[in-house]
Amino acid sequence: MTVSFAAYLLLATAGSVAPSDLPPPDAPTPAIFSRAQLKYGLERDNYLSRWVDRPLLLDPGLQEEDDKSSINAASLRLMKETAMKYGLNGFAFFPEISRTRQIYSLVANGRPEGFLLLSEFGSRGKESEQLAIAKAALDSPASFRLGGKVVFTSYGADRLPPAHWSALMAKIRAAHGDHFVFLPAIVHFGGEPPAYWNQRFHDGAIDHTDEERVKESLREWLRHTDGLYFASTAGIKRKRLFDAAFYNDFIIRMMRETLAEPEFQGKYFGLSANIGHENCTRFGYTQSSEGTLTLRQSLERAIAARPHLINIPEWDEQNENTSLRPTVYNGYSSMRILRHYTSALKGELQPPLPQDNLALPNLVVSYRKCLVLGEKLEFELLNIPDTEAKGEYEIRLTLSDLKGKQIYASENFTVDATSLNEKRLTIPSEIFEGQRALIPSLTILKGDERHRIADGLQPIDLKSTENWDYKWVKQPLRDLLSPEEFIFTVDEPDSSGIRQANVSIS
């Protein structure tokens, strides 16, 4: 499967990938997966107030009696259908986790056309279990294959030596035939973690000796396995921001240059992208999504490196807030972004989503929903082109207090509707001293059309002291509810002092 250079050129114009970095016309089109934990189902009813965000498509009506799987089958079916709308090839998953091996049959039965499973081994698995899983994956028509062989990746493969994995795969092939490809997920380069190399990279201290040390460690992996794979973009950060330069110019470059050596021709290559890692309970692990920038930068660099596969952790890891799937605070922003890139790989522009109001631009408005006064208030305004996009439009951001009084107005920004482009605005939050919350609104001008988005955007909670919530809210304008009628009333207190609120929405 190949991709035209025109398709990659479309990617270059969409973001920050330079044409000089693009692969030749015969480069493989990467298969793009999202790792699914398959334990945070849409049938669950305990998300509220438990985590910093929650799935958008919850439906307790999906619950089934006597369900013994790790995930409800009806919930999995809805997840698959949603993932296909992203342009994803399928889910990566861990078949060693309790009760997940049956996912092979659940996905194969009634799967959307083309939906695939990328199997991932853990570093603490039992050999007997891994042999059985290999057979289940081989028997499943849903298993992702390269060169006709079932692909297994790994999690934390370099916790064990390369020889362990070559011995395991030799036993699997002896038992089930030469029908498998194994890609080790490498975190340490030359025995050192990414943070070590990141510091040396920015200090300009990496020399030829360092690079040769890294490449020799990669060569050892290539001599024992079928390729190289990096799945840990959530750990590629500097000051808790995704470090695109380090990912591209060190991690990816070291891997590509080693794979290009004559000894390793025909080996496979895997990379990853991610949405961010805004985990309120594990502050040291935080990697900001920077609106949608982390997803776009990590994905652009992975695609431009022409790997055979890209894995995006994770579809549904709720407790770490890395969800690629639609959530209350992310809306369908990730779907719209992935559709842009997966369409571009086909040399196409994405069509609008079926229910889109085409009078509004395909614009995603992102910012942190909670701030301590003194932190910078950042807004990302991202235009995502589609087949109906034409011309330019102007956009203006205003902020109001709780009484509706305007207390800030930006300049007018001109936006090209036909390309993926962003406008970023930074405001010092201390200018809002004395305010408890900020209410954003947008004015959009295109020709004679004028749209005022005054309701539906998430208010910004301003705090005077502590804040543990680093979550960005990402709101496509076309996702916002536009009710025809909304009625809210509060009754007088009853004899016990309780008031009843009444809400009606059409």
Side-chain angles (χ1 to χ4, degrees):
M1 190 164 52
T2 61
V3 61
S4 69
F5 186 78
Y8 272 99
L9 193 59
L10 180 59
L11 267 179
T13 61
S16 54
V17 179
S20 59
D21 295 332
L22 299 177
D26 61 349
T29 300
I32 303 179
F33 296 87
S34 184
R35 178 186 296 151
Q37 290 293 330
L38 301 175
K39 60 185 178 182
Y40 297 100
L42 297 171
E43 78 284 357
R44 293 177 60 159
D45 58 6
N46 63 341
Y47 288 100
L48 188 63
S49 300
R50 187 169 181 177
W51 292 292
V52 72
D53 200 355
R54 58 191 185 275
L56 188 62
L57 302 177
L58 286 182
D59 183 0
L62 295 172
Q63 293 177 2
E64 297 175 344
E65 293 183 6
D66 302 321
D67 185 39
K68 304 292 187 198
S69 62
S70 64
I71 185 172
N72 174 281
S75 178
L76 177 62
R77 188 160 51 248
L78 179 54
M79 286 187 185
K80 291 186 296 182
E81 292 169 357
T82 304
M84 292 297 282
K85 295 176 183 177
Y86 283 61
L88 293 171
N89 293 83
F91 288 152
F93 83 114
F94 297 117
E96 292 167 284
I97 295 176
S98 176
R99 296 184 296 173
T100 56
R101 199 187 311 172
Q102 62 186 304
I103 297 297
Y104 290 114
S105 58
L106 284 175
V107 167
N109 295 331
R111 65 186 170 127
E113 183 65 30
F115 189 90
L116 300 172
L117 289 171
L118 173 63
S119 304
E120 299 193 87
F121 280 145
S123 60
R124 298 184 177 90
K126 295 181 179 179
E127 186 179 289
S128 59
E129 178 80 0
Q130 290 167 331
L131 283 164
I133 287 168
K135 180 64 165 62
L138 182 62
D139 291 343
S140 175
S143 290
F144 173 60
R145 289 165 166 83
L146 285 172
K149 298 183 178 182
V150 174
V151 178
F152 273 90
T153 63
S154 52
Y155 182 82
D158 57 3
R159 293 171 182 166
L160 299 169
H164 166 86
W165 296 105
S166 60
L168 171 65
M169 294 310 297
K171 291 177 182 178
I172 288 175
R173 291 176 180 123
H176 306 304
D178 185 16
H179 304 301
F180 302 91
V181 166
F182 177 71
L183 297 179
I186 298 167
V187 178
H188 293 79
F189 289 73
E192 302 289 351
Y196 170 85
W197 294 112
N198 185 284
Q199 186 61 51
R200 291 179 62 81
F201 174 83
H202 286 284
D203 289 344
I206 297 176
D207 57 21
H208 176 75
T209 301
D210 289 323
E211 292 191 0
E212 186 58 27
R213 172 185 165 196
V214 169
K215 289 181 179 179
E216 189 54 41
S217 70
L218 296 177
R219 292 180 189 119
E220 183 180 7
W221 281 105
L222 284 166
R223 289 168 184 144
H224 282 88
T225 68
D226 300 299
L228 299 176
Y229 171 49
F230 184 79
S232 302
T233 47
I236 302 302
K237 57 190 176 183
R238 186 169 178 80
K239 297 180 180 178
R240 298 195 173 95
L241 304 178
F242 175 68
D243 194 337
F246 176 68
Y247 187 38
N248 189 72
D249 299 339
F250 182 79
I251 299 289
I252 292 175
R253 182 172 67 85
M254 289 292 97
M255 287 183 153
R256 283 184 64 178
E257 289 180 3
T258 309
L259 282 162
E261 295 175 5
E263 180 182 354
F264 307 119
Q265 296 304 298
K267 297 282 186 174
Y268 294 104
F269 185 26
L271 287 171
S272 63
N274 74 296
I275 191 172
H277 197 282
E278 293 157 350
N279 185 339
C280 63
T281 60
R282 301 171 72 192
F283 183 70
Y285 290 84
T286 295
Q287 181 201 59
S288 175
S289 66
E290 290 196 86
T292 67
L293 186 61
T294 294
L295 176 60
R296 290 183 288 119
Q297 286 191 332
S298 60
L299 188 58
E300 285 174 7
R301 277 143 185 83
I303 290 174
R306 63 182 186 272
H308 295 86
L309 66 91
I310 297 171
N311 193 3
I312 305 177
E314 289 159 299
W315 179 255
D316 55 352
E317 182 68 294
Q318 204 63 41
N319 72 314
E320 294 188 0
N321 189 38
T322 55
S323 293
L324 187 71
R325 68 179 172 182
T327 69
V328 170
Y329 287 122
N330 293 341
Y332 288 94
S333 61
S334 296
M335 177 188 287
R336 294 175 185 276
I337 290 167
L338 261 292
R339 282 162 55 86
H340 170 78
Y341 288 107
T342 55
S343 296
L345 283 170
K346 302 173 186 176
E348 303 170 351
L349 274 173
Q350 64 167 329
L353 290 171
Q355 302 301 320
D356 276 359
N357 175 7
L358 300 184
L360 293 174
N362 196 13
L363 184 79
V364 180
V365 185
S366 305
Y367 47 87
R368 279 180 52 195
K369 62 187 178 71
C370 297
L371 283 177
V372 171
L373 288 172
E375 293 183 299
K376 59 183 179 180
L377 174 57
E378 296 178 273
F379 286 88
E380 178 196 78
L381 308 174
L382 177 72
N383 182 80
I384 306 173
D386 57 35
T387 52
E388 304 301 315
K390 298 177 179 65
E392 294 181 337
Y393 60 92
E394 288 189 350
I395 188 165
R396 185 171 181 246
L397 168 74
T398 58
L399 300 172
S400 301
D401 63 16
L402 287 171
K403 295 181 179 180
K405 178 183 177 182
Q406 180 178 302
I407 55 177
Y408 175 85
S410 75
E411 62 184 65
N412 280 20
F413 296 98
T414 300
V415 179
D416 177 10
T418 64
S419 69
L420 186 77
N421 64 97
E422 66 166 41
K423 304 294 182 183
R424 299 190 84 88
L425 178 64
T426 301
I427 309 167
S429 64
E430 56 267 25
I431 69 173
F432 302 113
E433 178 186 0
Q435 300 298 330
R436 183 62 185 84
L438 302 175
I439 313 298
S441 59
L442 295 173
T443 301
I444 300 168
L445 302 172
K446 186 173 183 182
D448 296 331
E449 298 180 21
R450 183 180 186 274
H451 298 279
R452 173 78 170 159
I453 312 298
D455 295 308
L457 293 174
Q458 173 72 26
I460 300 166
D461 186 7
L462 293 178
K463 299 175 179 290
S464 59
T465 54
E466 64 180 0
N467 177 35
W468 50 259
D469 190 344
Y470 282 75
K471 172 68 186 167
W472 282 69
V473 57
K474 306 158 196 181
Q475 303 157 107
L477 295 191
R478 293 177 180 176
D479 284 3
L480 298 180
L481 189 65
S482 299
E484 294 179 0
E485 183 181 58
F486 176 75
I487 301 173
F488 178 83
T489 61
V490 180
D491 294 347
E492 292 298 320
D494 62 18
S495 58
S496 60
I498 295 175
R499 295 174 181 264
Q500 178 170 303
N502 308 282
V503 180
S504 174
I505 189 167
S506 301

